[in-house]
Amino acid sequence: MNRIAFYHLETLLWISRLGTFGAAADRLNASQPTISARIRELEGQVGFPLFQREGRNMMLTVRGREFVQQCEMLWTTLQQTLLSPDEFRGASGIVRVGSGEIAAASCLPVFTNAIRGSMPKISLEIEINLTAHLIDDLLSGRVDMVFAIGPIAMPGIVASTIQQVDLVWLASRELGERLIEKGGGIGSAVPLWSVARSSPMHDLMATMIRKSSFQHPQVHTCNNVRSLIDIVESGGGVGLFPLNMVEEKIAAGSLVKLDEEVPAPILLQSAMRSNEHDPIISELFRRSCEIAYA
């Protein structure tokens, strides 16, 4: 009987998913020579080459692609057999989660606390990033699931809405009082601040400006929402913010809401790859959907 170990199959499947030996080595916390050695051992056991070199890249052979397809089904069945739903509490491993700042301020804490209680042996590695980067990281396999502004709708990803967040126009107390005295309009002379242009929030602000009576020839940007809040709070201008991140400052009076039209509430969604075969990640995604409006 061929001596094929679990790590042989796991290595092959991650190379197939991520596209390179180096990416699989990073995902499995192994060196690239170790990954190459595992594939040579696996090829020796199956009796045919799984990869062929094309230029500087290693590509699956015809038989290699068929073997990967068979192994995907086998791997899924094997993991589901070894880890039934009742055993997720004992599941262990490292799950990489990407999150946007707005999600990190609301649904992410609820999720992490729930997982800590129900799956205590799972270690979460969380990275905060912009939505566009989060989607790229998810598709490339650098993270296993994400929390981001939606709607997330693209091939290869399944997403679920877990929360809606209202948006508000804000200014510092001093600037806000002056604007209110003048009738409440923002006016083109007031500095306008937005999150980075690659964020869906920037598109929402741009749409509202086009619909409004005032015109801003220049919109300043900052890729960190909390720093953006600090800038506006210090009197640096006006910005459009998610209410869940500024409620305390509004209550304290350091930020003032302006009577301007706002976009519809933004959607916060969790997402994973639609072809995800790891039952732990699928279970975590399912549980993220259950924290909706918690």
Side-chain angles (χ1 to χ4, degrees):
M1 178 180 294
N2 292 338
R3 295 183 178 275
I4 297 177
F6 290 161
Y7 64 79
H8 287 126
L9 299 183
E10 183 181 37
T11 300
L12 174 64
L13 294 180
W14 276 113
I15 295 173
S16 175
R17 292 170 186 171
L18 302 182
T20 68
F21 282 42
D26 291 341
R27 183 63 176 78
L28 297 172
N29 296 316
S31 67
Q32 192 160 334
T34 297
I35 297 298
S36 298
R38 291 178 183 178
I39 294 301
R40 287 195 299 271
E41 292 169 1
L42 182 57
E43 289 177 330
Q45 294 296 332
V46 300
F48 54 84
L50 296 167
F51 292 90
Q52 61 186 14
R53 181 171 294 280
E54 294 187 8
R56 300 179 63 181
N57 299 320
M58 296 294 288
M59 309 296 292
L60 281 165
T61 63
V62 172
R63 294 189 68 182
R65 288 194 293 269
E66 180 184 29
F67 186 67
V68 165
Q69 188 177 45
Q70 295 169 341
C71 287
E72 286 279 12
M73 295 184 291
L74 174 62
W75 188 256
T76 300
T77 302
L78 179 62
Q79 290 199 321
Q80 289 174 342
T81 300
L82 294 176
L83 192 62
S84 66
D86 293 337
E87 295 172 324
F88 276 109
R89 182 169 182 81
S92 62
I94 299 173
V95 177
R96 295 170 177 170
V97 179
S99 177
E101 280 190 271
I102 301 173
S106 52
C107 52
L108 186 58
V110 179
F111 172 76
T112 56
N113 288 335
I115 297 308
R116 182 180 60 186
S118 61
M119 301 172 70
K121 295 183 180 180
I122 292 294
S123 297
L124 299 177
E125 293 185 351
I126 299 173
E127 180 175 346
I128 308 300
N129 215 327
L130 295 174
T131 297
H133 300 318
L134 292 174
I135 300 305
D136 288 342
D137 288 346
L138 181 61
L139 290 172
S140 67
R142 289 189 290 270
V143 297
D144 301 308
M145 60 180 295
V146 301
F147 293 87
I149 297 175
I152 303 172
M154 59 180 60
I157 291 179
V158 57
S160 175
T161 298
I162 56 179
Q163 193 174 356
Q164 292 185 346
V165 176
D166 291 329
L167 299 173
V168 291
W169 288 99
L170 295 176
S172 67
R173 180 169 57 187
E174 181 180 352
L175 177 57
E177 289 175 351
R178 290 206 311 266
L179 293 174
I180 292 172
E181 287 176 0
K182 293 180 179 180
I186 292 177
S188 60
V190 178
L192 202 60
W193 283 89
S194 168
V195 291
R197 287 177 173 81
S198 57
S199 169
M201 282 281 292
H202 185 277
D203 292 338
L204 290 174
M205 174 181 278
T207 298
M208 297 310 298
I209 292 174
R210 287 194 296 268
K211 291 172 58 178
S212 70
S213 59
F214 61 90
Q215 296 296 321
H216 275 267
Q218 182 180 17
V219 176
H220 307 283
T221 64
C222 176
N223 67 353
N224 183 281
V225 179
R226 295 198 181 277
S227 295
L228 195 60
I229 294 171
D230 291 340
I231 291 171
V232 171
E233 186 180 18
S234 69
V238 169
L240 183 68
F241 295 101
L243 182 59
N244 67 320
M245 296 187 71
V246 293
E247 287 178 305
E248 291 184 2
K249 292 183 179 294
I250 294 173
S254 61
L255 287 173
V256 176
K257 292 200 300 184
L258 302 178
D259 188 20
E260 294 284 348
E261 183 180 359
V262 296
I266 58 174
L267 304 179
L268 296 184
Q269 296 188 315
S270 60
M272 70 171 187
R273 291 178 293 275
S274 56
N275 63 347
E276 181 58 65
H277 296 285
D278 192 314
I280 293 177
I281 297 173
S282 297
E283 178 66 11
L284 288 176
F285 174 72
R286 185 188 69 79
R287 295 189 184 195
S288 75
C289 300
E290 293 179 349
I291 69 173
Y293 307 101

